[in-house]
Amino acid sequence: MRWTIVSGILNVDDCFLTLKPTKTFTAASNLSTSMCDVEEQDLSAALLNNNVSFSSTMVTSSADLSFSLTEAEICKLKKKFDASTMPNEDMDVSINVEEISVPEESSIQEKSIMHKEISVQESSIQEKSSVQEETTLEEDTSMQETTLNEESTLEESESVINLEDTIDEPEIQSIVPESNQLIVLDVNKPVVANENEPFVTEKATEIVAAEAEEIAPLEYFKNKLIEVGRRCWKSSAAAQHYTKGCYWSPDGTCLLVPIHLDGMHVMELPPDLYTATTVAQERGLTNLVPAVHVPEGGTVYDCVWYPHMNSQEPDSCFWLATRQHEPIHMWDAFDGKLRCSYSGYDAVDEVMAAISLAFSHDGQQIYAGYKRCIKIFDTSRPGRLCDDYPVKFAISCIAQTTEHHNTLTCGNWHGYIQHFDLRCSPKQGPLFTLGGHKGGITQLKYAEGSAGWQLFSGARKCQKLLQWDMRNYKKPLEEYQRNVETNQRIQFDLTPDLGWLASGDTQGALNVWDMNGDGEVSALPLHNDCCNGASFHPTLPILASSSGQYHFIGSDGRVNDSVLDCTGAVEQEQSKEKPQEVIYENAVVMWWCGQGL
């Protein structure tokens, strides 16, 4: 315990000393010592028993205190100090007062010593002030500290805890202004820094409004679609450069578009759309120029972005791609250079091409689907080292729910959806298998957020999009009809809030379903050729769509130039060449589907 003399008033007839703690103490009650009520020996014993240490600093008041002692009295004090009992080693008794000139050997143990020649100026000691005490109670059983600030007099012996202090109040947002003064922002009360000096609330209002805009849900398809950007590729009978879907990056800065026989292209979002809330109908069309072009030959089977891609961190800007007769490649999104490769080998030690790709949600693992196994690569360890999980069918697509990171949902070309637990032995097989599609599964996608168990599936040459609840998988929750007449992958996508579902169509239309409405489809004729890709921007009301397909013309098509007559003889018919008109539209388009002017 540390104590400080607040004020001392010494008279001939009466003498008392008031003590006040300057730091926290662990006693259960306040201590107050009055020298007029304690005998000389009792006071000395009390000081020794309580191990009182007087601080060298003093809280000075407006009164001037002066003491004068004769040489005889000083000698008398020295003799009595030497004769008194010496304190223990643990006790620290010292009186150091700046305003009082008393030798260090002097001790206030007797009351009669200070009855002589003491002059105290009592003119300015009539002002009284209350002192706020900060008390810290340390509970040994719970090992917790509770700080209580209370205004009380020095004579109070108990600390009172208010019941309201035990109630947890809701968290409030704090804002530190430029003046380094802490301002507590409460949305229900005006923001003030001081009762006499009101704080300007313009900045706080702007911050709250900006956060409200970020939290506010996006509105889709409330007005007409506005085309904001387009890129086209030429095609011919010898080389048909059609698109194979489109994929927004996780941070929404660029769009990845694989092109048949022309590698992969990365398109950047137009700069004026980053902060746009509305777009005018008269806005000019932006010519999307590829920022990065990877001229990879062959057919690109699948590609996927790194899930934590951020343009502010160049190391995280990359994507994976797999193509025919090649291992899995990691491509840099800034310069298009090859970073590394992940190779899968078969039983005769030959490189196999992965059919499908997927990242784990934390980005630490890569799931690659092959003809007879699932290979799991470590993202930080390129090469051929991986874990094999044997399966019976070729894995055409992979998806993973956010609700369980040890399970994996895979589709195959036989039209089945299988759910695997990677902790189980491969001999056990899938946990369950889902049907419902006529053709091979081309895409699987889990919803985000709280609906993480809802799975959407699509297949080739199948007119249905199925919505599943993987917790009750006996039958689909919903069926959505679309027009798919080829083996091509027709991409679909969901808005981040699970409000809208969009899918392409072999007839060139974009099918849109309102998930919160009646579920009726709205067919938007956006392209003249097959609409094979649809992808929503992660943070803006922008939809990207891609078009194109392979056209069988000339010698590629099978022509039957013979007919049967009534006798059953084959009669050759002269072939008549008819000019065939083919409409190529190999394009990627960005559409503004939010509020317009």
Side-chain angles (χ1 to χ4, degrees):
M1 295 184 297
R2 298 190 63 85
W3 298 76
T4 300
I5 299 177
V6 177
S7 62
I9 303 175
L10 299 176
N11 293 327
V12 176
D13 298 332
D14 190 9
C15 178
F16 64 91
L17 182 64
T18 303
L19 305 178
K20 175 189 178 297
T22 59
K23 294 186 178 180
T24 59
F25 59 92
T26 61
S29 61
N30 300 328
L31 298 178
S32 177
T33 305
S34 176
M35 295 186 63
C36 63
D37 298 333
V38 184
E39 295 295 332
E40 299 170 359
Q41 297 179 357
D42 296 336
L43 177 60
S44 177
L47 294 175
L48 294 176
N49 294 331
N50 291 280
N51 192 16
V52 181
S53 175
F54 291 91
S55 176
S56 60
T57 60
M58 173 181 177
V59 181
T60 60
S61 62
S62 60
D64 296 332
L65 303 179
S66 63
F67 298 85
S68 62
L69 297 176
T70 61
E71 295 180 357
E73 292 172 351
I74 294 173
C75 294
K76 187 177 181 180
L77 288 174
K78 290 182 178 180
K79 292 179 181 180
K80 291 187 177 182
F81 178 79
D82 297 334
S84 61
T85 303
M86 297 303 293
N88 297 330
E89 294 179 359
D90 297 332
M91 184 184 67
D92 183 13
V93 180
S94 62
I95 301 176
N96 295 323
V97 183
E98 297 177 357
E99 300 291 335
I100 303 176
S101 61
V102 180
E104 296 179 357
E105 296 83 2
S106 62
S107 174
I108 55 172
Q109 298 180 358
E110 295 183 0
K111 179 179 179 182
S112 60
I113 298 175
M114 296 187 179
H115 286 189
K116 299 178 180 181
E117 297 181 9
I118 299 176
S119 61
V120 180
Q121 298 180 0
E122 301 179 354
S123 59
S124 61
I125 310 182
Q126 298 179 357
E127 300 178 358
K128 298 181 180 180
S129 60
S130 61
V131 182
Q132 184 179 5
E133 297 180 358
E134 295 181 355
T135 306
T136 304
L137 302 178
E138 299 179 355
E139 298 179 359
D140 298 337
T141 58
S142 61
M143 301 299 292
Q144 296 180 354
E145 295 182 4
T146 306
T147 303
L148 302 175
N149 297 327
E150 58 181 21
E151 295 181 359
S152 61
T153 61
L154 295 175
E155 296 180 357
E156 293 179 353
S157 61
E158 295 182 358
S159 299
V160 180
I161 299 177
N162 192 356
L163 181 61
E164 297 179 354
D165 297 336
T166 63
I167 302 175
D168 295 335
E169 297 181 356
E171 298 180 356
I172 54 180
Q173 186 180 3
S174 61
I175 299 175
V176 180
E178 297 179 356
S179 60
N180 296 328
Q181 187 175 8
L182 182 62
I183 306 300
V184 179
L185 178 61
D186 191 350
V187 295
N188 297 323
K189 297 180 180 180
V191 180
V192 292
N194 195 334
E195 295 180 355
N196 299 326
E197 298 179 0
F199 176 67
V200 180
T201 61
E202 294 181 357
K203 183 179 292 186
T205 304
E206 293 177 357
I207 295 175
V208 174
E211 293 181 354
E213 291 180 358
E214 294 178 358
I215 299 175
L218 299 176
E219 295 184 357
Y220 294 88
F221 304 106
K222 298 299 181 181
N223 298 302
K224 295 182 179 180
L225 295 182
I226 302 175
E227 185 177 358
V228 295
R230 176 181 286 267
R231 167 71 178 181
C232 297
W233 286 265
K234 296 181 179 180
S235 291
S236 63
Q240 299 188 28
H241 302 299
Y242 55 89
T243 63
K244 303 188 68 176
C246 53
Y247 307 87
W248 280 108
S249 62
D251 63 348
T253 57
C254 49
L255 183 69
L256 176 63
V257 184
I259 305 297
H260 181 62
L261 300 179
D262 195 22
M264 291 168 286
H265 299 255
V266 177
M267 313 290 179
E268 291 184 347
L269 181 70
D272 62 312
L273 298 179
Y274 279 99
T275 58
T277 56
T278 59
V279 173
Q281 295 283 349
E282 296 79 13
R283 182 189 180 278
L285 184 62
T286 302
N287 183 19
L288 300 178
V289 178
V292 176
H293 178 209
V294 179
E296 191 171 11
T299 301
V300 177
Y301 289 153
D302 198 6
C303 55
V304 59
W305 283 101
Y306 178 65
H308 302 287
M309 184 264 191
N310 187 358
S311 297
Q312 302 299 326
E313 300 176 0
D315 293 340
S316 65
C317 299
F318 62 87
W319 77 88
L320 298 177
T322 175
R323 68 183 182 91
Q324 190 177 13
H325 307 305
E326 292 291 337
I328 302 170
H329 292 321
M330 179 187 292
W331 300 98
D332 193 293
F334 276 92
D335 52 14
K337 293 182 179 180
L338 178 65
R339 289 190 178 183
C340 60
S341 299
Y342 303 87
S343 303
Y345 290 84
D346 56 9
V348 295
D349 204 31
E350 293 183 354
V351 177
M352 295 188 302
I355 303 174
S356 56
L357 293 173
F359 269 106
S360 60
H361 291 289
D362 57 1
Q364 300 298 320
Q365 292 180 326
I366 300 171
Y367 302 113
Y370 291 84
K371 291 182 178 181
R372 289 294 183 267
C373 67
I374 301 172
K375 294 184 180 296
I376 304 174
F377 296 91
D378 190 346
T379 307
S380 61
R381 187 179 60 186
R384 62 182 298 169
L385 296 178
C386 62
D387 297 330
D388 288 353
Y389 194 91
V391 294
K392 295 182 179 180
F393 305 106
I395 304 300
S396 59
C397 54
I398 301 175
Q400 188 179 37
T401 177
T402 57
E403 301 295 332
H404 207 297
H405 62 279
N406 290 321
T407 60
L408 204 64
T409 307
C410 303
N412 55 54
W413 297 127
H414 295 272
Y416 298 108
I417 302 171
Q418 296 177 326
H419 192 68
F420 295 94
D421 190 340
L422 301 179
R423 298 169 297 181
C424 299
S425 173
K427 296 181 180 179
Q428 182 177 347
L431 298 179
F432 54 85
T433 302
L434 305 178
H437 290 286
K438 297 180 180 179
I441 309 300
T442 56
Q443 185 182 358
L444 296 174
K445 185 176 181 62
Y446 276 100
E448 299 178 359
S450 59
W453 284 110
Q454 294 191 17
L455 175 69
F456 293 81
S457 61
R460 59 187 182 183
K461 286 189 175 181
C462 182
Q463 312 297 324
K464 294 182 295 184
L465 275 177
L466 300 182
Q467 179 182 358
W468 305 85
D469 190 342
M470 302 301 283
R471 297 166 296 183
N472 185 11
Y473 49 84
K474 292 184 179 180
K475 62 179 182 179
L477 293 178
E478 296 290 342
E479 293 185 3
Y480 304 96
Q481 297 294 324
R482 62 175 183 172
N483 188 10
V484 179
E485 299 175 352
T486 63
N487 292 329
Q488 191 177 7
R489 176 186 296 157
I490 304 299
Q491 189 180 13
F492 63 86
D493 197 11
L494 297 163
T495 56
D497 59 350
L498 194 59
W500 295 86
L501 171 64
S503 173
D505 195 311
T506 54
Q507 301 297 327
L510 178 69
N511 300 314
V512 179
W513 293 270
D514 187 0
M515 306 293 290
N516 299 323
D518 53 2
E520 293 292 333
V521 61
S522 299
L524 306 176
L526 301 182
H527 300 279
N528 296 323
D529 203 350
C530 172
C531 180
N532 55 48
S535 179
F536 284 103
H537 192 277
T539 58
L540 295 174
I542 297 177
L543 172 69
S545 64
S546 59
S547 62
Q549 63 179 336
Y550 188 84
H551 294 273
F552 293 93
I553 56 177
S555 60
D556 294 337
R558 296 180 180 179
V559 179
N560 184 10
D561 55 355
S562 62
V563 294
L564 293 176
D565 58 7
C566 59
T567 59
V570 177
E571 180 181 359
Q572 296 292 331
E573 184 180 82
Q574 295 180 357
S575 60
K576 297 180 180 179
E577 296 182 359
K578 297 181 180 179
Q580 184 177 2
E581 182 180 0
V582 178
I583 299 176
Y584 295 103
E585 185 187 336
N586 306 321
V588 58
V589 186
M590 294 183 184
W591 306 88
W592 178 267
C593 54
Q595 297 180 358
L597 296 178

